[in-house]
Each structure stands twice: as C-alpha cells, then as structure tokens.
Amino acid sequence: MNADRPEVPRVVALAGGVGGARLVDGLDRVLPAGALTIVVNTGDDFSHWGLHISPDLDTVMYTLAGLAPEERGWGIEGDTFHVLEEAERRGADAWFRLGDRDLMTHLLRSRALAAGDSLTEATAKLCSRLEVTRPILPMTDASSPTTIVTRGGDEMAFQDWLVRARAGPEVQRVELGKAAQPTGQVIEALRLADLVVICPSNPYVSIGPILSVEGVRGILREKTTVGVSPILGGRAVKGPLSSMIAQLEGKPASAQQVATHYEAFLDGFVVHPGDAFSAAFPVLDTNILIQTREDRVGLARALLDFARSLR
Ligand code: FO1
C-alpha cells in the first residue's frame, strides 16, 4: 500500500484454524463493512459420520459469531457432547469431538452440499444463520485434502494425524491436494484487495493449501502482502507447528523460518518483540500473543498501520 491507496484498505485475510481466526476477529472489529474478506483453508476438510466437516471454516465462523471458546478455540463455547457419548456407547468413531450444537452446522452443510450447493454457497448460508456478515470464502469448492506422510512412510489423512494420532507420528512430508481450482469469489476478492494478510496460521498445512490454489501465488506477487508469525520465542502458540518445522526443515522453529516460506511475495512481516530479524522486507515487532479481545484489536491496528507505511 502507498500514500495513494485508500485510508480504509480492502483487506483479504488468508486464514487456517485458531490463530488465524483470532487475528481475523481483530480485523473484523477494526475494519468497516465491506473492507474485509476471509479466505479459509479447506485442506483439513473430511467426511465423518457421513457428514462434511470443514474445521477451519467453522472456527473462523464461530469466532466471528462470538461463539468460539476462548481457550480451546474450535467448536462452540459451552457445547455438550451427548451424541458423542452415545457414539462411544455404541462403538462408533468418537475420536473427533463433535459437540451437539456444532453437529447442526455439519448437518446443514452436508444437506446443502447434497442438494447441489457449492461449499461457498453452503458457507454463506451457515454464516447468514449465525448473523456473520463478513464474507468467509473456502479457498476452493473442490476437494483438496492434505495428507501427512510420516517418517515411517504412512500416508495419513490430516485429521487422522492431527487429532486421532495427536500429531504424534513424525512428519516426513506434507502432501497438498492436487492444484485446486479457485472460485470466482476468491479470485475477485484477491484482485480487488489493497492488502493481503497472511494470518498466524501453520504455513505448511493451513496457509500452504491456500497458496497452492491455482492463480493465488501469482496474484499475491502483485499485492501488498503482510504476514504475521505463528511462532513466538521459538514456539507455536497452538498446535504442532514447532515440531513440524524441526522435522521438515531440520532447524529450530523461528519467526524467520516461517517468513522464508512466504518471501517470494512478502512486503512486510510481523513478529513478537525479541523475534525480529533483518530481511529484504520490513519487519515489525509488536505483541502478537492475541488471546484477549484487546490484544486482537491491538494487533489488527498495528498491522494496518504497518501496511499503510509500506511502499
Ligand atoms: N481438534 C482436536 O484436537 N480434537 C478434536 O476432537 C477436534 C474436534 C473438532 C470439531 C469440530 C471442529 O470444527 C474442529 C475440531 N477440532 C478438533 C479442531 C480442528 O480439527 C483443528 O484444529 C484444525 O483442523 C486445524 O486447523
């Protein structure tokens, strides 16, 4: 962005799960209507109990609806698990903890998809029922599942690895779904964007799938793109990222290591105080530990000011 660009930029946020949703929540609180579109990873999507589950879309949607639990981040605050208990009693799969209220989302989505809606259309309907007005766009309407190839040579569906196996098996390689076609909505939002924000999500399994959608990288090269580190002081706030960096790169986790993933199109990167490094693009250090609403708003404001200062 430069001085000729509008005071209120059109922002597209690329987001995965909980970390991404938290920054999106901050951006949602500081940007006016029409100024924010969120493009979400669907590489984690899978079928469970015959239902189409889109964990990252739901995490972003519940966060913007004010329904997400503060600590856990995914699912619905205060949800009960009676159906899951019944599944356990009857010997059905109970490793993926679907809450009773959360279940309605998967039922409605699956019904809409079976009736011929695209995932983009089904997501818009789910958001509208929860009065979420920001556009939340799946990165693609096609199936593009992420697979984890373990050191032992097993190929595991992403949720099998992350949740069922508790991210235990060492990762040799991440295989992204084959080049998914973007939707018209994703391409249009990116083309119109003044700023693209890469949220503090896992670069391999959350942002990587979005970047692998056809055409996305090419558009990012033409845009002001700012990333936020998901690593603070060498550790991931949530999830298996620090061990994934060690296993995949053979190096300790660091904010700089994450930035190297995006350097082909980064115009700026935001890190926690103490994590700054010198690079070909400006690096801002500010508080990126965003648990509370105030932290999220503070980071969103700092990020937008930083982006405005970039040329
Ligand atoms: N993550 C877990 O670690 N365990 C779960 O049982 C679990 C259930 C779950 C249900 C609905 C939902 O939308 C998300 C859920 N997640 C669960 C989170 C999710 O699988 C991951 O955090 C994301 O896929 C990574 O971004």
Side-chain angles (χ1 to χ4, degrees):
M1 255 185 324
N2 64 35
D4 303 331
R5 300 259 174 90
E7 261 309 288
V8 178
R10 278 165 300 195
V11 178
V12 171
L14 310 184
V18 176
R22 287 180 174 156
L23 176 56
V24 163
D25 185 36
L27 291 167
D28 178 54
R29 290 171 192 279
V30 303
L31 286 167
L36 174 64
T37 300
I38 306 121
V39 175
V40 179
N41 169 42
T42 57
D44 296 16
D45 287 22
F46 72 123
S47 175
H48 190 65
W49 296 351
L51 302 173
H52 184 114
I53 317 283
S54 296
D56 287 358
L57 283 171
D58 292 346
T59 297
V60 173
M61 177 176 73
Y62 291 151
T63 301
L64 293 193
L67 294 174
E70 277 287 314
E71 254 304 292
R72 191 181 64 206
W74 52 263
I76 294 181
E77 172 68 29
D79 210 349
T80 52
F81 291 87
H82 299 302
V83 175
L84 191 85
E85 284 155 22
E86 194 58 28
E88 256 163 2
R89 239 189 309 276
R90 297 189 194 193
D93 269 345
W95 55 270
F96 196 74
R97 295 184 57 75
L98 292 180
D100 298 326
R101 292 174 64 200
D102 182 30
L103 200 48
M104 198 62 215
T105 297
H106 315 304
L107 287 166
L108 289 170
R109 175 188 295 114
S110 304
R111 191 179 65 172
L113 293 174
D117 277 359
S118 65
L119 186 58
T120 301
E121 289 163 339
T123 305
K125 286 181 186 167
L126 288 168
C127 286
S128 141
R129 287 175 198 243
L130 293 178
E131 295 175 13
V132 171
T133 51
R134 297 289 191 190
I136 298 178
L137 303 176
M139 65 186 202
T140 178
D141 282 333
S143 166
S144 187
T146 298
T147 303
I148 299 293
V149 182
T150 69
R151 281 249 169 262
D154 292 328
E155 292 188 8
M156 300 179 77
F158 182 70
Q159 297 294 341
D160 272 346
W161 175 77
L162 179 75
V163 178
R164 200 205 287 245
R166 295 166 196 263
E170 271 196 46
V171 181
Q172 183 194 108
R173 203 168 74 240
V174 173
E175 252 171 36
L176 302 177
K178 53 188 171 324
Q181 287 302 309
T183 62
Q185 291 90 333
V186 166
I187 293 299
E188 192 191 347
L190 286 171
R191 288 233 165 93
L192 292 176
D194 302 301
L195 170 65
V196 178
V197 175
I198 301 179
C199 287
S201 301
N202 186 309
Y204 307 106
V205 293
S206 296
I207 302 297
I210 304 177
L211 298 178
S212 77
V213 172
E214 267 188 38
V216 168
R217 279 176 185 270
I219 300 179
L220 293 202
R221 279 195 198 95
E222 294 160 13
K223 296 287 167 183
T224 301
T225 301
V226 176
V228 178
S229 176
I231 295 285
L232 275 86
R235 296 180 62 86
V237 181
K238 232 180 170 310
L241 177 58
S242 15
S243 49
M244 283 183 95
I245 293 177
Q247 289 162 17
L248 289 168
E249 317 284 352
K251 292 179 182 150
S254 68
Q256 185 169 13
Q257 190 60 42
V258 173
T260 59
H261 272 266
Y262 307 134
E263 66 192 354
F265 39 77
L266 266 191
D267 297 292
F269 199 62
V270 184
V271 302
H272 205 58
D275 286 346
F277 53 91
S278 64
F281 43 81
V283 176
L284 170 75
D285 65 282
T286 187
N287 176 38
I288 59 168
L289 187 59
I290 46 174
Q291 305 282 21
T292 68
R293 178 182 301 175
E294 292 70 32
D295 291 341
R296 297 172 192 185
V297 166
L299 176 56
R301 290 217 168 97
L303 172 69
L304 294 172
D305 285 346
F306 177 53
R308 220 168 273 127
S309 74
L310 300 172
R311 304 205 168 248

